[in-house]
Amino acid sequence: MVVAAGAHGGGGARRRRAWRWAMRAAASAVVWTAVVQVASIAGLWRPRILADCGGGGVPGLAALAGDDRVAARLSPPALVPRRIYKSNGYLLVTCNGGLNQMRAGICDMVTIARYLNLTLVVPELDKRSFWADPSDFGDIFDVNHFINSLRDELIIVKELPLKLQLKTKRRLYSMPPVSWSNGTYYLKRVLHIAKKHKVIHFNKTDARLANNGLPVQLQMLRCRVNFEALRFTPQIEALGRKLISTLRKSGQFVVLHLRYEMDMLSFSGCTHGCSDKETEELTRMRYAYPWWKEKEIDSEVKRFQGLCPLTPEEITLVLKALGFTKNTLIYIASGEIYGGERRLAALKDAYPRLVRKEKLLSPDELRPFQNHSTQMAALDYMVSVASDVFIPSYDENMARVVEGHRRYMGFRKTILLDRMKLVELLDHFQGGAMSWYEFSAAVKEAHQNRMGQPTDRKIIPGRPKEEDYFYANPQECLGSKGGLRDIL
C-alpha cells in the first residue's frame, strides 16, 4: 500500500510540474507576442525625422559616417499613409543651375506644389548650363524614395498622363515665377493659372520662394525635402560612404571647398593672381555666354568688397593663420582648379596631406561618374556634410546648402570666412605692414563667431537678396519638428 501510494503521489507531482511548465510557456508566448507588437507599432509610428537614422536622431548620419554595419541593420521604412486631396492641376518644373542650386529649387517646387494642392511631375534637370551635364533626376536622386517619402504631403508622378502629354506638345503654359515670392503670390497669381490650364510649367526654379515670412509648416517641409526626400542614388551613396570611410581611417579631416574654377572666375570677373593671358581668356569666356548679363567687371573692386573667392595662395595663409598644422588631412571639394597644379603648389607645400576624390578612388570607380559634373558634385557634397570641419572659400550655392545641412546635423563646425576682412589683412601682411603673429591673431579674432554656431537668420524687409539664405540657416527646422497641416 505504501509503495502504491508513493507511486500515485509521484505521478501527481509530475502532472503538476508539467502543468506549471505549460502555463509558463503560454505566459512567455503571450508576453513576447505583446513585445513584438509594441515594437512593431513603435516602429511604424516613430517620427519620420528619425527614419533611416544611424543614431543621435540625425538623418543619414550612420551612412554619412561610413558605418555600414549600422546602416545594414536599418530596415526599409514603412510607406507613410497617402494624403488624399483634389489636385488643382499638374506642375512641371525645369531646374536651372548646378547641383545645389537645383537641389534648393526642387525643395521650393515641392513646397509650392503642396501649398497649391498640385500634382508634381518629377523635376527635369538643367542640361544647358555651362557644365552641359546630361544627368536626369534619376541619375542623381533616388526617384522612388523621393515619391514615396512625400506621399503623405502631395502626389508626385514620373510623367504626365498620356492625354496631357499630347496636349502640352501642342501648347504649354510656361513661366518663370517671380523671385523671392511669398505664399500670397502663388495663391493669387499662380493657382488660378494652374486650374485654368491643368498643366503649368516653371522654367526657372532658383530662388522662387522667399527666405522668410512663410508659414512654419512650409519652412519645415522645405527641410524635410532637403534632408530626407532628396536621397542620392544607391551608387552615389555607396561611393560617397567609401570616400568618407577612407578619410575616417586617417583620423579627423577638413573639407576645403575651393571654388577656384574657370566658370566662377569668368562670370564673377575675379582675376586677382591671374596672368594677363589668363585674364583675357576668362573675359572672352564671359562675353561668349549671352545669358550672363554682367560683362564689364573691375576685379579689384569686387575683391575689396569680399565678392571674390580666395585664391589657393590666399587660402593657404588663412589656414595657417587659423592654426591648421602641416599634418592636417584636407580634402578638396571642387571641380578642376583654374591654373592646375601650378596654382595648388603653395597649398600642397603647406599641407602635404591634401587629397581629392580622384586620389582616393580608382579610375574604374569614378568612370561611371565622369563627364557628369552634378554626380561628381554629389560625392563632394556627401564628404563635405560628414567632415569634421568645412571651409568654403566662397559662399555660393554648395557652400550655403552644406552649411545648412551641417547646422541641421548638430551645428557641425563650419568656418565662414569673412573675405572682406581677410583681403584687408592679407594685403597688410603681404605688404609688410603686419607681422605673422599680428596677422594670425587678427584672423582668429575675426572668425571667433563664424564657426557655424546657432544664430538667427538675418531678415531685411524688401531686400531678400541681401538676407541670409534659408537653406544656409533653416532655423525653423533646428528645434522641434512637426508635420504639415492642411493650410489652404
Side-chain angles (χ1 to χ4, degrees), residues 67-86:
D67 193 341
D68 291 330
R69 292 170 300 173
V70 175
R73 292 200 302 269
L74 299 173
S75 59
L79 285 177
V80 293
R82 188 187 300 277
R83 175 172 171 257
I84 306 299
Y85 65 96
K86 180 182 177 181

Side-chain angles (χ1 to χ4, degrees), residues 46-316:
R46 65 180 178 167
R48 285 190 306 267
I49 203 69
L50 299 180
D52 298 329
C53 296
V58 180
L61 183 57
L64 285 172
D67 193 341
D68 291 330
R69 292 170 300 173
V70 175
R73 292 200 302 269
L74 299 173
S75 59
L79 285 177
V80 293
R82 188 187 300 277
R83 175 172 171 257
I84 306 299
Y85 65 96
K86 180 182 177 181
S87 175
N88 289 319
Y90 288 83
L91 177 60
L92 292 171
V93 297
T94 300
C95 303
N96 56 301
L99 173 67
N100 294 285
Q101 185 172 327
M102 292 192 290
R103 183 187 186 105
I106 292 165
C107 296
D108 285 352
M109 294 302 105
V110 170
T111 304
I112 292 164
R114 169 62 176 88
Y115 188 54
L116 301 182
N117 280 338
L118 299 175
T119 297
L120 178 69
V121 180
V122 169
E124 176 185 328
L125 303 189
D126 189 352
K127 297 179 176 63
R128 295 173 295 179
S129 65
F130 168 80
W131 304 275
D133 189 335
S135 298
D136 290 318
F137 186 97
D139 297 319
I140 303 169
F141 301 108
D142 186 329
V143 178
N144 290 332
H145 175 76
F146 177 68
I147 294 172
N148 291 331
S149 65
L150 293 168
R151 58 188 250 135
D152 61 333
E153 300 289 7
L154 77 164
I155 301 170
I156 304 175
V157 296
K158 294 181 180 179
E159 58 184 7
L160 287 171
L162 182 59
K163 182 179 178 180
L164 289 177
Q165 288 184 41
L166 297 174
K167 179 182 177 181
T168 56
K169 283 183 179 179
R170 295 191 303 269
R171 185 178 181 183
L172 175 63
Y173 191 94
S174 185
M175 64 179 287
V178 176
S179 298
W180 313 111
S181 295
N182 59 22
T184 302
Y185 164 80
Y186 286 99
L187 280 176
K188 293 187 174 181
R189 174 77 179 98
V190 176
L191 181 56
H192 83 276
I193 297 175
K195 287 181 175 180
K196 178 182 177 181
H197 294 276
K198 305 303 180 186
V199 181
I200 186 171
H201 173 233
F202 289 168
N203 54 25
K204 287 185 183 293
T205 60
D206 62 313
R208 302 295 139 170
L209 199 54
N211 288 315
N212 302 293
L214 298 175
V216 67
Q217 296 90 350
L218 292 184
Q219 299 289 57
M220 293 174 72
L221 178 56
R222 292 166 103 175
C223 292
R224 181 179 167 193
V225 181
N226 195 16
F227 305 129
E228 295 182 54
L230 286 178
R231 177 188 292 170
F232 294 125
T233 64
Q235 295 81 4
I236 292 174
E237 292 273 341
L239 201 57
R241 286 197 298 270
K242 180 174 181 178
L243 273 171
I244 295 163
S245 177
T246 301
L247 289 161
R248 283 264 179 259
K249 289 175 183 176
S250 300
Q252 293 190 331
F253 68 97
V254 174
V255 166
L256 173 61
H257 184 225
L258 190 58
R259 193 68 167 96
Y260 201 77
E261 299 150 330
M262 189 175 187
D263 65 302
M264 168 55 66
L265 300 179
S266 175
F267 300 141
S268 67
C270 296
T271 57
H272 181 76
C274 295
S275 66
D276 291 341
K277 183 178 179 181
E278 289 172 331
T279 300
E280 291 174 8
E281 180 183 41
L282 294 170
T283 303
R284 282 197 306 272
M285 178 182 171
R286 185 165 67 251
Y287 275 88
Y289 284 83
W291 48 263
W292 191 259
K293 297 178 181 179
E294 191 178 14
K295 302 297 184 185
E296 290 294 328
I297 302 174
D298 189 322
S299 176
E300 288 306 303
V301 170
K302 289 198 74 170
R303 178 173 177 267
F304 288 127
Q305 292 173 338
L307 300 177
C308 289
L310 296 181
T311 68
E313 295 85 1
E314 290 173 333
I315 202 72
T316 301

